[in-house]
Amino acid sequence: MATTLDTWEPALSVRQVLSLERVLAGEPEVVAGASHLDRQVRWVHVAEAADVGVMLSGGEMVLTTGVLLAGDEDKQAEYVRSLHRAEAAAVVLGLGRAFPAAPDVMRRAAERCGLPMVVLHRPFPFAELTEEVQSRLVRRKFAAVSLSEAVRTELTALITAGAPLQRLLDEVARHSGCPVVVTNLAHRVLGTAGERPAVDDVLRDWERIARQAGGTEGDGWIRAELGGRGERWGRIVLCGYRGDTATGRLLADRAAEALVLHRMLGGTAACSWEEQSAQSLLTDLVSGVVPARQLLPRARAAGLPVNRRTFVPLVVRDGGTGRLDRLLRLLGLPGLVAELADGATAVLLSLARDQDAGALAAHFATRLRTESGSARTIVAAADPRVVWDDVPAGLREAQHVADAVADSAAALDIPPVVRLKDVHLRGLIRLLRDDPQVQSFAERELDGLLCETDEDLLSVLRTYLATGRNKSRTAQLHHVSRPALYRRLEAIQVRLGVDLDDFEQAASVHIALLAHDAQQQ
């Protein structure tokens, strides 16, 4: 069973030690260093030696009666200074045997050093406090080791099972109980996990927050570097971790180890995580499952400029994400690239309001065709959007346009950028392809040619109608003689019971064929 933060106790601070029931029985009073009570207590040490500082290694709460310090103010001041030099967590002085009240010299020295100094007004057996704190610390250390091994085991199992990056991050977020963010060295977000509202709060002003928290682990921001062989390529951040810093660092380190292993075994580079991040964002935008406004923090954190911009939704076929991403960088166009289903790739450009969106989209498409060397590369675009909430509809429109011209004869001669006005009847039919009446119409009109043995005749009919009933062009494209084409056209007319020289009948068959092809895609 997974070990979670609820199954083990956090580290003890000086404040927490003083709130223990056994300590309260001694009526503790903080007489110095009250602003440093959140220091972590690594151990409790009972010592009466005046030079106790040389025996410490840092983080100890030192318990003393001060019997060897009574009557010597220099020793009292030096005692406190030695504890400060040894980085002790606090000093607790039991009143009664040597001092009836807190010595002013010790109190002033502790205040100057920022060392918490506590006095116990009632006689108190130090052994009870030592036993209580040591047992809690031992349990904490054991639980921390158990947690570390549990996290490592679970993440390693996910990696060997081929789990994606998101699954690993979800597991880290479950253990840490806070949002988890993975970034590259430029603070661009590559992945997130955690409760969606909390993640969105973190991402809403991510650039400022990330840089502000870059040099400190205060306020629960725990980071671990990602990299290997002397090269750093990213970091994982626990955002607002509510446990103690040491435990948060342990979790972050285990997570970092797993992410590096995930990269090594998968043979992927950090940039592929950027592609996954863009794909997740654009897929959510296209689907409309998540409102666009809720996706705005993710877009901003992913490095897409969103303030006072013009967004140009594009869908490319026969492009490839790697080629498109390189081309955007080459042209200096800010944008996101993500692979969609069925070989389509979405591109969302973010342009300044004074830039010519149409000209830049055309330039992008022309360069892409030139580099790909294929005239069949399709770049479909929707009209530019100046409101973020309109971007999902734009992406869906561009996807519809790309689908309408893909795998068709019309794709042989298309403009650099295809828009909704360019797909005409083909676009309308594609929108209506799932309508039962349209399906029935297509089957009824083409009934005589829908057998597998008639595929050649169906292909000839498709080309003949797409070329505007140009017999010479159709014969050329099918590599047959004119007489052979005439025989096939005659067979088609007999099978369908139509006269293709009649415009209305030919148009009806053409619409049915477009509907049939759209249903097959």
Side-chain angles (χ1 to χ4, degrees), residues 230-492:
E231 178 184 3
R232 293 188 302 123
W233 44 266
R235 59 177 59 90
I236 182 171
V237 187
L238 308 186
C239 307
Y241 177 70
R242 293 185 295 272
D244 66 284
T245 300
T247 304
R249 191 176 297 116
L250 178 148
L251 282 169
D253 287 344
R254 294 295 82 79
E257 290 174 4
L259 295 184
V260 172
L261 180 61
H262 182 273
R263 175 189 176 185
M264 292 173 59
L265 293 182
T268 59
C271 64
S272 70
W273 288 2
E274 294 178 352
E275 293 169 2
Q276 291 179 40
S277 175
Q279 180 171 350
S280 173
L281 173 61
L282 292 184
T283 299
D284 286 345
L285 278 170
V286 171
S287 68
V289 174
V290 182
R293 187 159 298 277
Q294 293 184 20
L295 297 172
L296 188 58
R298 287 171 56 186
R300 183 184 289 110
L304 185 73
V306 296
N307 295 330
R308 296 186 59 78
R309 307 291 289 187
T310 296
F311 303 102
V312 182
L314 305 173
V315 170
V316 180
R317 285 191 172 275
D318 194 27
T321 56
R323 178 186 297 160
L324 295 173
D325 203 36
R326 287 192 298 272
L327 183 57
L328 287 183
R329 291 197 296 269
L330 179 64
L331 299 178
L333 296 176
L336 296 178
V337 177
E339 185 175 346
L340 302 176
D342 301 327
T345 304
V347 180
L348 180 60
L349 301 181
S350 175
L351 307 177
R353 291 283 176 87
D354 59 353
Q355 291 181 289
D356 188 333
L360 288 174
H363 181 55
F364 170 80
T366 302
R367 285 291 298 270
L368 178 61
R369 277 196 180 186
T370 300
E371 291 193 5
S372 67
S374 172
R376 294 185 59 85
T377 298
I378 298 170
V379 179
D383 291 335
R385 265 60 174 174
V386 295
V387 178
W388 174 257
D389 288 349
D390 295 337
V391 169
L395 285 168
R396 288 192 291 271
E397 178 183 315
Q399 187 175 29
H400 161 66
V401 172
D403 291 343
V405 298
D407 301 324
S408 69
L412 294 174
D413 184 21
I414 59 176
V417 178
V418 188
R419 301 185 184 277
L420 191 59
K421 63 181 180 62
D422 298 316
V423 295
H424 305 296
L425 180 61
R426 188 180 302 275
L428 175 63
I429 294 299
R430 188 171 184 85
L431 285 176
L432 300 175
R433 63 179 176 172
D434 294 327
D435 187 294
Q437 295 186 21
V438 173
Q439 294 174 359
S440 297
F441 170 77
E443 292 176 1
R444 184 170 61 251
E445 290 289 301
L446 300 175
D447 183 56
L449 290 179
L450 294 182
C451 298
E452 292 184 4
T453 56
D454 295 326
E455 278 299 318
D456 180 60
L457 292 180
L458 201 63
S459 177
V460 170
L461 175 63
R462 183 180 293 111
T463 304
Y464 179 61
L465 295 174
T467 58
R469 295 183 294 174
N470 186 318
K471 295 177 182 178
S472 297
R473 180 62 174 157
T474 300
Q476 181 183 10
L477 290 174
H478 283 269
H479 307 290
V480 297
S481 65
R482 289 284 294 272
L485 175 66
Y486 294 157
R487 288 193 296 271
R488 295 184 187 183
L489 291 176
E490 182 63 30
I492 290 171

Side-chain angles (χ1 to χ4, degrees), residues 187-203:
H187 303 294
R188 181 172 179 177
V189 173
L190 308 180
T192 63
E195 295 184 2
R196 196 73 255 167
V199 172
D200 288 344
D201 285 343
V202 170
L203 297 184

